Amino acid sequence: MSATLAVEGLSVAFGGVKAVDALSFSVEAGTIKGVIGPNGAGKTTLFNAISGFVAPQAGRVRVGGRDVTRLRPQARAALGLARTFQNLQLFARMTVLENVMVGAHVHLASGWLAGLLGLARREGQQAEALARVQLARLGLEAHAGRRAGDLGFAEGKLVEIARALAASPQLLLLDEPIAGVPLHDQRRIAEVIRSVRAGGTTILLVEHNMRVVMDLCDEILVMHHGARLAEGPPAQVAHDPDVIAAYLGTAAHA
Ligand SMILES: Nc1ncnc2c1ncn2[C@@H]1O[C@H](COP(=O)(O)OP(=O)(O)OP(=O)(O)O)[C@@H](O)[C@H]1O
Ligand SMILES: [Mg+2]
């Protein structure tokens, strides 16, 4: 198997805080790697550096063997990288359908803005068809015409996932996709994540819910103060004394 994502010696600092500290790991094609660690461990900053929203001080990010470290977020998206945001980043004035169509337009020639403005009619139709498939997958058909700004937090999370999937990503980064979502939607999201992996997409998953992480992930990377504390299959990581001491031991009682 080959690595879809390779992170090499990555460091991101904010002032004196080393949010990501000389971190290296890779994710094999078609697998799910969980990223866990206490609040402030650097998980979201890692996602931001992989997707191009913050510039690292050192290190490299490779997607499908290609060095993307200096590319803008849109260029990484065009290479097959999609993500969701821990704090939602939807276009509040656009409808649910339009938000998801933005994801689909990543692969269409004229871009999402032209599509939404009706400048490329056929592409708009293609994007809508792609978007509607993902809306159905996440149980959002009835919400297609609602303004994203009127949605509750949990509904917004489902829309974020639908938008990322509409881009048919090779590599998908999910930042706490089930946090703050009711149980029946949690189950639906977990099923969707499984089926996305079955379709060949490689996934990096940040999530605090240990049961879900242990259940879904092929491997887990444990971060602590921006660095790697442990890495391996779920059962191995769960029994790692360093992990229990630094994280699971306290989280189990939270
Ligand atoms: N834009 C920023 N400016 C300054 N400091 C930041 C910024 N983003 C993150 N940090 C700091 O970097 C560290 C890592 O934060 P990050 O959000 O990556 O952690 P996290 O593991 O995602 O935490 P959580 O589980 O709470 O989401 C923290 O100390 C945080 O305060
Ligand atoms: Mg975070």
Side-chain angles (χ1 to χ4, degrees), residues 91-196:
F91 297 101
R93 288 163 182 238
M94 289 172 25
T95 66
V96 167
L97 175 64
E98 287 166 345
N99 268 279
V100 179
M101 284 172 66
V102 169
H105 274 293
V106 160
H107 291 301
L108 303 175
S110 309
W112 63 273
L113 190 58
L116 290 177
L117 294 174
L119 300 177
R121 201 174 147 69
R122 250 195 62 222
E123 284 192 15
Q125 288 168 348
Q126 268 178 280
E128 179 171 341
L130 286 168
R132 286 198 184 274
V133 169
Q134 300 307 333
L135 287 178
R137 199 174 193 183
L138 288 146
L140 290 166
E141 302 103 314
H143 301 291
R146 288 176 68 191
R147 263 174 40 117
D150 296 335
L151 299 177
F153 182 72
E155 293 165 327
K157 285 215 135 157
L158 293 169
V159 176
E160 282 244 339
I161 296 168
R163 180 170 64 182
L165 294 182
S168 309
Q170 181 196 358
L171 174 64
L172 174 63
L173 314 184
L174 298 168
D175 198 350
E176 302 199 16
I178 70 161
V181 168
L183 202 57
H184 64 277
D185 283 330
Q186 290 188 14
R187 293 205 189 96
R188 182 191 283 271
I189 291 168
E191 277 319 303
V192 167
I193 292 172
R194 257 189 251 282
S195 80
V196 169

Side-chain angles (χ1 to χ4, degrees), residues 17-251:
V17 177
K18 290 180 174 174
V20 177
D21 191 5
L23 184 66
S24 297
F25 68 96
S26 59
V27 188
E28 296 299 316
T31 69
I32 304 180
K33 179 156 292 192
V35 181
I36 65 172
N39 295 115
K43 305 178 297 294
T44 294
T45 305
L46 170 66
F47 271 28
N48 287 339
I50 292 170
S51 52
F53 289 84
V54 301
Q57 274 78 41
R60 296 194 178 287
V61 176
R62 291 181 206 279
V63 176
R66 178 168 172 167
D67 187 341
V68 302
T69 316
R70 303 204 185 287
L71 296 185
R72 290 175 179 280
Q74 299 92 318
R76 299 187 203 205
L79 289 173
L81 192 159
R83 68 169 295 182
T84 64
F85 291 85
Q86 183 175 358
N87 307 309
L88 309 180
Q89 300 278 343
L90 297 172
F91 297 101
R93 288 163 182 238
M94 289 172 25
T95 66
V96 167
L97 175 64
E98 287 166 345
N99 268 279
V100 179
M101 284 172 66
V102 169
H105 274 293
V106 160
H107 291 301
L108 303 175
S110 309
W112 63 273
L113 190 58
L116 290 177
L117 294 174
L119 300 177
R121 201 174 147 69
R122 250 195 62 222
E123 284 192 15
Q125 288 168 348
Q126 268 178 280
E128 179 171 341
L130 286 168
R132 286 198 184 274
V133 169
Q134 300 307 333
L135 287 178
R137 199 174 193 183
L138 288 146
L140 290 166
E141 302 103 314
H143 301 291
R146 288 176 68 191
R147 263 174 40 117
D150 296 335
L151 299 177
F153 182 72
E155 293 165 327
K157 285 215 135 157
L158 293 169
V159 176
E160 282 244 339
I161 296 168
R163 180 170 64 182
L165 294 182
S168 309
Q170 181 196 358
L171 174 64
L172 174 63
L173 314 184
L174 298 168
D175 198 350
E176 302 199 16
I178 70 161
V181 168
L183 202 57
H184 64 277
D185 283 330
Q186 290 188 14
R187 293 205 189 96
R188 182 191 283 271
I189 291 168
E191 277 319 303
V192 167
I193 292 172
R194 257 189 251 282
S195 80
V196 169
R197 172 181 53 187
T201 297
T202 306
I203 299 170
L204 199 58
L205 170 69
V206 168
E207 187 49 66
H208 283 290
N209 184 317
M210 279 307 137
R211 190 181 48 74
V212 169
V213 169
M214 294 290 163
D215 195 35
L216 279 179
C217 296
D218 300 296
E219 283 214 345
I220 294 174
L221 167 70
V222 187
M223 286 181 74
H224 196 48
H225 300 308
R228 177 176 57 193
L229 183 69
E231 190 177 16
Q236 181 188 317
V237 164
H239 294 106
D240 187 304
D242 288 341
V243 175
I244 292 166
Y247 182 56
L248 292 179
T250 50

